C-alpha cells in the first residue's frame, strides 16, 4: 500500500497512541471489510488490519492462505495471489489471538464512485424509480457507501458495510454507479462492486490528496497551505516551533513581572496558518476521511461526477482535476487506472453570464488529455431547471460503454462522443471537421444543427450560424458574418444542441478558429468615424484630447463609446456602447465638461453593447439611459428610472445646482440595473472614478471610487456614424 509520507505520519500518530493504550487488542480488519464485499479480480488481493505488536496473523480467502506478523505499530498486511472472477461466494478468515470470518465474498470488478450530489444521487430519487427498484434483483452487484467524514489528518479506517443488490436495498445505491454496474454485469457476467464515496455540493479540492497538489505547479499555494496545517511536516514543525519559542519567552517575561508594577504584553497569538481546517470544503478534507482509508484496496478504476461546485473555475479546474487524478493514481500504485467522468449538464445558474459554464465545459474536455481518462457528454439528457437530471440510466450506460470498450475488450463499441478535430475557413463559410462520429454526423430531431455561432472582422460579435452536415463535417455560414474566422458551439449554459454522432451520442460544447481582436470584431471601421480619442491618464481640471475632430462638419445618426481599462484588480476590460444620436452637436458628445455646456439626463434608444467582460449582456438593448453633466449630483431618482435607488449612487441620480462640480459621464442599461461604463470626477485626474460594469458595493456607478490610478491603461474613444442622407 503506497501512502503519502506526510499523510501517513500524521495519520499514524493518533493510531499509535490508541494501540499503545489498548493492550491485548483483538486482531481486526478495516471497517469497510464486511460480509458481501467484492475484491478485484486479476490483481493481488491486499488485505490489512491491526492487532497487538508482534502478533502472528493467518489470513485465508477461499483456497489462498498466508501468514504474517504485525509490525511495531500493530499493523499487518498481506497480498494474496490474484484470483479470477467467482461464480460462487467464498469466505475470508483472519486469525490472531481472536478469529474473524466474513462470508458471501465475491471476486469481480470493483469501481470507485466519487464526486458530488449527482454521484451521490440515489436510485430512489432518479427517473422511473419505482420500476427500477422493483427490478433490481442482481445479487452479483454489491454496493457500499462511505460515511461523510471530513478530516484534517489522513484516516486509516472507514466504518461501513457492503449491501447485496435487491429490491430492498437498491433504492439507496448511487444511481449513476448502479446503472453502470448493471450494464457491466449484463455484458461481462461477473460480480460488480461499487465503492460509493461521494458528498453532495462538494468541490474537487477536498477530494484531492497533498501529493496531487504537489504534482501541479499552479497549485503550489494550496499544497503549501496543506503542509502547514498537517502535523509533523517540516513547515508545520517550523511554524509551531517558532510559536512555542515565543510563548516560552513570553512566559519567562510574564513570570518575572508577576507581583511587580511592570506591565505584561499580551501572549503570542496561535498562528492561523497552522490552525486545522474547519470546513469539509477545504483542501484534502474529504480525501483524508473518505478516500485515504480505501487506498490499497484494489480497484479496476474510478468514475467521477462533479463540477457544479467548481463551475466558475474555467481552465483552473483542469489543473485541479489533474491534481486529483495524478494524486489518486500515485497513492494507489496501480499505474494510470481508468478514470471516467461525466461532463456536467446544462443548467440555468440564475443570472450568471451564459458563457461561464461553457468555459468550464471546455476545461472538463481538456481533462481527457490525461492518459486513460474519458468523458461522458450529457447535454442531450439535461434538465436546465434541475441541477440533478433524473435520467441516470443513460449516464450509467455511457460510462459502462467506455469501460467495456477500453477495459473489457469490446473494441467495436462506439463509446465516445464525436470530437472537434479542425476548422477551415473559405470565403463566407467555415467548415468544422469532427472525428469519432461512428459513420457520420446527424441530428437528434432531423433539423439542421443548432447552437452554432460565427464571428469575424467587423461582425459585431458572434452571430447565429446556418449549419449543414456533410458526413463528418459541419459547414457554417451567416449573413451577419461576411468573412468568418472562428466558431463556437453550444456556448451557453442552457444549450441543449441536437448534433450527434451516428449512434446518437451528443457532441459537446466546443470552440475553434481565431477570434479577431475585440476592436476588429466591432462594426466601427466599416460604419463609424473616430471623433475623440483620449488617454484618460491625462484627466484633470485642464486636459486635451489626443484626437479631436469635432471641428469637422459631420452629420451623424449614431454615437459610439469605446472604453478600455486595464488593471491587476479588474483585468483587461473593454466595452463598446453605441446608441441612436441624442444630440446633433458633436462638441457635446464627449466628456461633459463645464466649458462644453453638455448636459444630458435622458433615455437613449437602440442601444448596442459589446464587451469582453463575463456578466455583461451583449447585443441590442431597446433602451438605456445616460447621465452626462459637469455638476455635483445626489442619489435621488428624479427621472424615476425603473429600479433605481434613492439612497445610493446608481443609474438614477440627480444633478445638483453647482454646474462646475464633481461631474458624471455614465451610460446605463437600466433594465438590467447595470452601469455600462462611468467616467466621473475627471477634475481630480488620478483620483477620478472609472469603471466598466457595476462596482461592487452600494455605489454601483463608481461614484467616490477614486480609482483611476489603479489602471495601467485607460482610454476613451468616441465615434459617430455619419448619416447616409
Amino acid at each position: 500500500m503506497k501512502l503519502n509520507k506526510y499523510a501517513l505520519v500524521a495519520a499514524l500518530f493518533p493510531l499509535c497512541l490508541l494501540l499503545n493504550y489498548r493492550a491485548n487488542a483483538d486482531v481486526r480488519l478495516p471497517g469497510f471489510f464486511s460480509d458481501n464485499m467484492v475484491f478485484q479480480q486479476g490483481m493481488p488481493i491486499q488485505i490489512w488490519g491491526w492487532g497487538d505488536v508482534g502478533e502472528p496473523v493467518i489470513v485465508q480467502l477461499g483456497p489462498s492462505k498466508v501468514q504474517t506478523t504485525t509490525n511495531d505499530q500493530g499493523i499487518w498486511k498481506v497480498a494474496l495471489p490474484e484470483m479470477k472472477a467467482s461464480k460462487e461466494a467464498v469466505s475470508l478468515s483472519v486469525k490472531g489471538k481472536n478469529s474473524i470470518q466474513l462470508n458471501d465474498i465475491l471476486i469481480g470488478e470493483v469501481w470507485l464512485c466519487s464526486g458530488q450530489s449527482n454521484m451521490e444521487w440515489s436510485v430512489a430519487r432518479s427517473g422511473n424509480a419505482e420500476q427500477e427498484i422493483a427490478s433490481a434483483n442482481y445479487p452479483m452487484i454489491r454496493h457500499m457507501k462511505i460515511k461523510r467524514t471530513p478530516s484534517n489528518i489522513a484516516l486509516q479506517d472507514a466504518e461501513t458495510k457492503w449491501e447485496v443488490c435487491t429490491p430492498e436495498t437498491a433504492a439507496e445505491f448511487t444511481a449513476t454507479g448502479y446503472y453502470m454496474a448493471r450494464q457491466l454485469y449484463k455484458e461481462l457476467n461477473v460480480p460488480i462492486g461499487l465503492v460509493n464515496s461521494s458528498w453532495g455540493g462538494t468541490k474537487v479540492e477536498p477530494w484531492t490528496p497533498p501529493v496531487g497538489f504537489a504534482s501541479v505547479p499552479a497549485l503550489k499555494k494550496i499544497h503549501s497551505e496543506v503542509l502547514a496545517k498537517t502535523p509533523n511536516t517540516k513547515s508545520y514543525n517550523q511554524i509551531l516551533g517558532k510559536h512555542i519559542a515565543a510563548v516560552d519567552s513570553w512566559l519567562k517575561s510574564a513570570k518575572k513581572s508577576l507581583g511587580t508594577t511592570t506591565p505584561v504584553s499580551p501572549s503570542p497569538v496561535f498562528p492561523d496558518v497552522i490552525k486545522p481546517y474547519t470546513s469539509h470544503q477545504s483542501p484534502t478534507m474529504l480525501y483524508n476521511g473518505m478516500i485515504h482509508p480505501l487506498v490499497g484496496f484494489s480497484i479496476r478504476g474510478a468514475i467521477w461526477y462533479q463540477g457544479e461546485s467548481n463551475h466558475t473555475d474555467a481552465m483552473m479546474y483542469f489543473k485541479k482535476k489533474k491534481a486529483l487524478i495524478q494524486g489518486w493514481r500515485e497513492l494507489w500504485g496501480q499505474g494510470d487506472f481508468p478514470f471516467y467522468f461525466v461532463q456536467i449538464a446544462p443548467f440555468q445558474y440564475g443570472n450568471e453570464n451564459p458563457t461561464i459554464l461553457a468555459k468550464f465545459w471546455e476545461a472538463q474536455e481538456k481533462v481527457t488529455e490525461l492518459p486513460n481518462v474519458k468523458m461522458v457528454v450529457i447535454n442531450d439528457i439535461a434538465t436546465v431547471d434541475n441541477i440533478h437530471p433524473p435520467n441516470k440510466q443513460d449516464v450509467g450506460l455511457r460510462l459502462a460503454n467506455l469501460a467495456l470498450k477500453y477495459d473489457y475488450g469490446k473494441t467495436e463499441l462506439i463509446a465516445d462522443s464525436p470530437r472537434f478535430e479542425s476548422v477551415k475557413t473559405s470565403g463566407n463559410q467555415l467548415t468544422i471537421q469532427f472525428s469519432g462520429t461512428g459513420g457520420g454526423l446527424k441530428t437528434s430531431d432531423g433539423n439542421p444543427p443548432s447552437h452554432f455561432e460565427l464571428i469575424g472582422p467587423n461582425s459585431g460579435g458572434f452571430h447565429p450560424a446556418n449549419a449543414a452536415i456533410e458526413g463528418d463535417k459541419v459547414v457554417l455560414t451567416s449573413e451577419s458574418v461576411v468573412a468568418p474566422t472562428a466558431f463556437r458551439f453550444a456556448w451557453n449554459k442552457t444549450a441543449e444542441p441536437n448534433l450527434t454522432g451516428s449512434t446518437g451520442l451528443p457532441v459537446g460544447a466546443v470552440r475553434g478558429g481565431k477570434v479577431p481582436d475585440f476592436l476588429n470584431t466591432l462594426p466601427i471601421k466599416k460604419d463609424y468615424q473616430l471623433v475623440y480619442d483620449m488617454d484618460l491618464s491625462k484627466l484633470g481640471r485642464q486636459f486635451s484630447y489626443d484626437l479631436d475632430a469635432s471641428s469637422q462638419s459631420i452629420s451623424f445618426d449614431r454615437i459610439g463609446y469605446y472604453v478600455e481599462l486595464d488593471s491587476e484588480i479588474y483585468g483587461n476590460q473593454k466595452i463598446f456602447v453605441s446608441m441612436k444620436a441624442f444630440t446633433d452637436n458633436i462638441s457635446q458628445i464627449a466628456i461633459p465638461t463645464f466649458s462644453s455646456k453638455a448636459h444630458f439626463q435622458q433615455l437613449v434608444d437602440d442601444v448596442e453593447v459589446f464587451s469582453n467582460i463575463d456578466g455583461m449582456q451583449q447585443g441590442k438593448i431597446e433602451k438605456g439611459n445616460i447621465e452626462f453633466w459637469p455638476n455635483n449630483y445626489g442619489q435621488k431618482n428624479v427621472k424615476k428610472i425603473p429600479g433605481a435607488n434613492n439612497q445610493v449612487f446608481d443609474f438614477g441620480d440627480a444633478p445638483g445646482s453647482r454646474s462646475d462640480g464633481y461631474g458624471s459621464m455614465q451610460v446605463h442599461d437600466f433594465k438590467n440595473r447595470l452601469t455600462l461604463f462611468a467616467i466621473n470626477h475627471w477634475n481630480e485626474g488620478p483620483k477620478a472614478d472609472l469603471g466598466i460594469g457595476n462596482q461592487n458595493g452600494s455605489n454601483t456607478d463608481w461614484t467616490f471610487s477614486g480609482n483611476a490610478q489603479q489602471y495601467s491603461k485607460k482610454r476613451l474613444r468616441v465615434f459617430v456614424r455619419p448619416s447616409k442622407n
Side-chain angles (χ1 to χ4, degrees), residues 186-403:
K186 289 179 178 179
E187 292 288 335
L188 303 175
N189 194 30
V190 299
I192 307 294
L194 300 174
V195 180
N196 179 7
S197 184
S198 56
W199 187 336
T202 52
K203 298 180 179 181
V204 67
E205 294 93 325
W207 295 102
T208 305
V211 69
F213 290 123
S215 71
V216 180
L219 305 178
K220 181 180 178 181
K221 184 178 179 181
I222 297 178
H223 182 239
S224 297
E225 179 185 277
V226 168
L227 292 186
K229 293 181 182 297
T230 303
N232 212 28
T233 61
K234 182 178 178 180
S235 57
Y236 179 91
N237 289 343
Q238 285 178 342
I239 297 167
L240 182 58
K242 288 180 181 180
H243 177 65
I244 291 171
V247 172
D248 285 343
S249 177
W250 177 84
L251 281 171
K252 291 177 182 178
S253 176
K255 288 176 180 178
K256 288 180 181 179
S257 299
L258 186 63
T260 72
T261 58
T262 304
V264 180
S265 61
S267 60
V269 177
F270 191 82
D272 286 339
V273 69
I274 61 174
K275 287 181 179 177
Y277 290 124
T278 57
S279 170
H280 73 281
Q281 294 282 31
S282 297
T284 72
M285 288 289 278
L286 302 185
Y287 167 78
N288 286 339
M290 299 176 65
I291 297 294
H292 188 80
L294 305 170
V295 172
F297 187 69
S298 296
I299 57 174
R300 174 62 64 191
I303 59 172
W304 176 266
Y305 195 163
Q306 187 276 337
E308 294 88 350
S309 292
N310 286 92
H311 80 274
T312 60
D313 282 358
M315 198 52 68
M316 182 56 71
Y317 184 76
F318 162 68
K319 297 173 182 178
K320 293 176 180 178
K321 194 76 170 290
K322 183 179 180 181
L324 179 135
I325 295 170
Q326 292 182 166
W328 284 12
R329 284 174 169 174
E330 179 172 342
L331 291 166
W332 245 274
Q334 292 184 196
D336 294 334
F337 61 69
F339 190 98
Y340 304 141
F341 70 97
V342 183
Q343 188 177 61
I344 63 174
F347 181 65
Q348 182 58 248
Y349 290 105
N351 295 322
E352 185 176 277
N353 180 271
T355 67
I356 289 176
L357 185 58
K359 292 172 184 175
F360 181 77
W361 288 329
E362 185 175 55
Q364 288 189 298
E365 171 67 30
K366 189 171 177 63
V367 177
T368 64
E369 295 177 5
L370 300 176
N372 215 12
V373 174
K374 302 291 181 181
M375 181 182 75
V376 165
V377 179
I378 60 166
N379 59 25
D380 60 328
I381 52 175
T383 45
V384 296
D385 294 321
N386 180 0
I387 205 168
H388 303 112
N391 181 357
K392 295 294 189 283
Q393 289 90 335
D394 281 325
V395 178
L397 175 62
R398 292 173 189 181
L399 287 166
N401 283 339
L402 286 174

Side-chain angles (χ1 to χ4, degrees), residues 151-174:
S151 176
N152 275 279
I153 60 172
L155 302 183
Q156 302 301 305
D157 203 357
E159 194 70 36
T160 187
K161 65 177 181 177
W162 289 79
E163 299 277 3
V164 178
C165 180
T166 68
E168 289 71 40
T169 62
E172 298 308 312
F173 285 18
T174 160

Side-chain angles (χ1 to χ4, degrees), residues 37-50:
M37 69 187 301
V38 181
F39 284 111
Q40 176 62 44
Q41 69 165 326
M43 296 182 187
I45 297 175
Q46 301 194 78
I47 302 173
W48 65 94
W50 300 269

Side-chain angles (χ1 to χ4, degrees), residues 183 187 397 400-406 409-416 503 505:
Q183 184 66 16
E187 292 288 335
L397 175 62
N401 283 339
L402 286 174
L404 289 167
K405 180 180 180 69
Y406 293 105
K410 308 283 187 178
T411 56
E412 73 285 356
L413 273 176
I414 303 298
D416 303 271
T503 61
L505 289 175

Side-chain angles (χ1 to χ4, degrees), residues 613-662:
I613 301 174
D614 289 335
M616 185 75 71
Q617 182 168 326
Q618 309 281 327
K620 291 186 178 181
I621 300 171
E622 183 180 351
K623 285 186 182 293
N625 66 299
I626 60 173
E627 296 181 323
F628 285 16
W629 56 64
N631 304 54
N632 287 345
Y633 54 95
Q635 302 100 316
K636 190 173 182 181
N637 182 16
V638 295
K639 288 290 186 178
K640 302 187 183 307
I641 302 297
N645 189 331
N646 284 314
Q647 306 303 316
V648 298
F649 292 100
D650 57 7
F651 50 92
D653 296 328
S657 58
R658 182 181 171 184
S659 56
D660 188 12
Y662 197 90

Side-chain angles (χ1 to χ4, degrees), residues 27 55-60 93-101:
V27 67
E55 181 177 359
V57 178
I58 300 173
V59 180
Q60 183 169 359
S93 68
V94 178
K95 295 181 180 180
K97 294 177 181 177
N98 60 298
S99 296
I100 301 171
Q101 180 161 317

